[in-house]
Amino acid sequence: MAASSLIIGAGPVGLALAVALSKQGQAVTVVDRAPACSSHDGRTIALAQGSCKILARLGVWDTLKGSAHPIHEILVSQEKRQGNVHYRSQDVSTDPMGHLIPMERLHEALLARAREEARITFLRPFVPTALSMNQDNVLLQAEGGQTLEADMCFGVDGRASWVRDYLGFKTRSWDYDQVGIVATLTHTRPHNGVAYEHFLASGPVAFLPLTPFSSALVWSQPPGHADYLMGLDEGAFCDLLAHVFPFLGELTLTAPRRSYPLAGHFVTAPAKGRAFLVGDAAHGIHPVAGQGFNLGLRDVAWFLDQEPRLFEGTSSAALTGAYTQRRMPDIVSMTAMTHGLVKLFSNESRTLRHLRGVGLGIVNRIPPLKKILTRHAMGLSLKG
Ligand SMILES: Cc1cc2nc3c(=O)[nH]c(=O)nc-3n(C[C@H](O)[C@H](O)[C@H](O)COP(=O)(O)OP(=O)(O)OC[C@H]3O[C@@H](n4cnc5c(N)ncnc54)[C@H](O)[C@@H]3O)c2cc1C
């Protein structure tokens, strides 16, 4: 008999997972504590090329690609113009490096796709209060006394995961002492398909290409400075931003600024018993490289790649072990890469700034190294 699964959390990763498990023939129940899907949060998501391919396998990319904006190049630079590195998709592939998509569009497309699957049931609002596992199944209780039963459960309930805390998954966490300000804006010079990652000593500022004269902004700053920036009127905010990042001309906000406190965490093993953690519940990284959702989607792809029979009967111990073994290297290396980038560039020492400039220059002058880093940013296998 086909296995059954409970997914706790109907965010973008939870919905992608629901489609993946349903494609494996499973009966899937998705619960969320929020009464309705609400993702109008100002975020624009950079999808690596590898993620677009996963979304195509899930049957979502065709409806998304009309509203996605391609990224052809990434230019990494630091203030005072000491060294930069320029990644071009054409060096490794005929595809773009990735695409940008508003979070609400991504969420809507995943929800619509999940609703097409007859094997997926939604229950919301559903506020879980207890979760237990035994040899044969998992039991999930909610406020109001409703109890659900399934073969396996998946905690996909985001950064402050209830499943993670309730089941006592061992977690490492830290604070970046930074706040990410997101917005969209227009500029008087075209971006030409280039995503800019510019490191200021106080934190990175990223411009991600949308239409030819508009971009999404992610500006990470220490909390006090972020409060100050959020308090400025729109004109003064744009003038200050154009001063620290003068390459796109005059700037005008087209959507209100929103701010996110930035912290990081990962669990030392994302599965135990009959429970799996997926997406931000298992790992939360700094948005500096725009990789958090991409990493969660690669967790989902792992389940999509398994033989359906592995989910049946008593083989879940083998499944939890294999999930941990195969996903942890990607989770740890992506967490370390983003953490290292933030720490390396958030330092005002002149010597370090000079060394960073030399480092960026070296990457630029060694094409094989640059190709490896470009493939990594595109979410592609490092071979080929
Ligand atoms: C400023 C910023 C910019 C970013 N930019 C990028 C980018 O460019 N590219 C990229 O790949 N990633 C990016 N990310 C990361 C990306 O947004 C996250 O990795 C992604 O949203 C995680 O999705 P998720 O489904 O795992 O979690 P979430 O989106 O947090 O969804 C969790 C779901 O679980 C539900 N839930 C929570 N608690 C419970 C509970 N107790 N019971 C039931 N349901 C519950 C919530 O209601 C929600 O629906 C960015 C993040 C930030 C902060």
Side-chain angles (χ1 to χ4, degrees):
M1 206 176 75
S4 58
S5 283
L6 287 174
I7 294 181
I8 301 152
V13 178
L15 293 170
L17 180 66
V19 175
L21 296 180
S22 169
K23 278 170 81 75
Q24 298 273 20
Q26 291 203 36
V28 183
T29 305
V30 182
V31 304
D32 199 292
R33 68 177 174 190
C37 155
S38 127
S39 48
H40 293 266
D41 60 8
R43 261 180 278 188
T44 304
I45 296 293
L47 291 173
Q49 191 53 40
S51 294
C52 302
K53 292 184 195 302
I54 298 169
L55 290 170
R57 288 176 66 199
L58 294 174
V60 183
W61 183 241
D62 273 353
T63 54
L64 270 182
K65 64 183 178 199
S67 27
H69 304 277
I71 307 168
H72 294 291
E73 300 175 22
I74 301 178
L75 183 62
V76 180
S77 56
Q78 62 172 336
E79 68 180 325
K80 313 238 164 64
R81 295 186 183 213
Q82 289 184 357
N84 63 44
V85 59
H86 204 157
Y87 301 103
R88 293 181 182 86
S89 55
Q90 67 192 42
D91 293 340
V92 300
S93 165
T94 51
D95 291 326
M97 300 200 73
H99 286 83
L100 284 156
I101 194 99
M103 178 57 119
E104 65 261 26
R105 188 67 202 93
L106 175 65
H107 211 156
E108 279 161 16
L110 284 161
L111 187 60
R113 176 69 190 85
R115 287 202 168 123
E116 285 169 13
E117 292 282 321
R119 281 186 281 262
I120 302 177
T121 308
F122 286 94
L123 287 176
R124 59 192 313 171
F126 182 105
V127 181
T129 53
L131 177 60
S132 58
M133 296 187 270
N134 58 41
Q135 243 189 329
D136 301 319
N137 59 13
V138 292
L139 291 173
L140 178 67
Q141 274 176 279
E143 268 175 21
Q146 188 175 9
T147 301
L148 303 175
E149 183 186 329
D151 295 317
M152 281 166 288
C153 77
F154 294 84
V156 202
D157 48 347
R159 283 180 168 255
S161 169
W162 173 84
V163 178
R164 186 181 68 221
D165 292 347
Y166 192 86
L167 294 179
F169 277 90
K170 207 164 158 195
T171 309
R172 305 239 161 95
S173 49
W174 57 93
D175 198 341
Y176 281 110
D177 205 23
Q178 283 185 350
V179 170
I181 299 174
V182 302
T184 50
L185 29 76
T186 55
H187 28 80
T188 50
R189 290 189 208 145
H191 52 58
N192 297 320
V194 178
Y196 293 93
E197 188 73 66
H198 187 61
F199 287 89
L200 308 167
S202 53
V205 57
F207 283 80
L208 308 167
L210 300 173
T211 60
F213 288 91
S214 75
S215 294
L217 169 76
V218 186
W219 190 3
S220 306
Q221 286 290 286
H225 197 214
D227 284 349
Y228 168 74
L229 292 172
M230 291 296 287
L232 288 175
D233 67 45
E234 293 193 356
F237 176 83
C238 288
D239 287 348
L240 191 60
L241 184 55
H243 177 72
V244 296
F245 188 84
F247 313 109
L248 289 171
E250 279 173 40
L251 307 172
T252 309
L253 283 174
T254 52
R257 289 156 280 177
R258 293 178 200 243
S259 62
Y260 295 83
L262 301 179
H265 70 267
F266 68 93
V267 290
T268 51
K272 60 173 160 188
R274 292 175 168 272
F276 300 81
L277 296 179
V278 182
D280 275 17
H283 42 73
I285 60 177
H286 193 288
V288 62
Q291 292 292 339
F293 174 72
N294 292 297
L295 191 58
L297 203 55
R298 292 205 289 279
D299 297 341
V300 171
W302 186 85
F303 291 101
L304 194 57
D305 288 339
Q306 302 313 300
E307 288 277 333
R309 66 177 170 75
L310 289 177
F311 296 99
E312 292 162 17
T314 54
S315 53
S316 75
L319 207 61
T320 52
Y323 178 61
T324 299
Q325 204 183 2
R326 292 308 299 269
R327 291 303 303 138
M328 278 316 282
D330 188 20
I331 293 169
V332 170
S333 67
M334 190 49 82
T335 306
M337 190 274 279
T338 50
H339 186 75
L341 261 181
V342 175
K343 293 293 168 196
L344 177 66
F345 281 90
S346 302
N347 189 310
E348 303 197 39
S349 140
R350 279 184 63 185
T351 317
L352 204 53
R353 191 164 66 223
H354 177 69
L355 286 174
R356 287 191 303 251
V358 172
L360 292 174
I362 287 174
V363 172
N364 238 357
R365 283 194 298 272
I366 305 181
L369 174 60
K370 214 164 100 175
K371 271 191 184 177
I372 290 172
L373 294 173
T374 307
R375 289 188 69 82
H376 199 251
M378 290 173 80
L380 300 176
S381 136
L382 297 186
K383 292 176 251 145

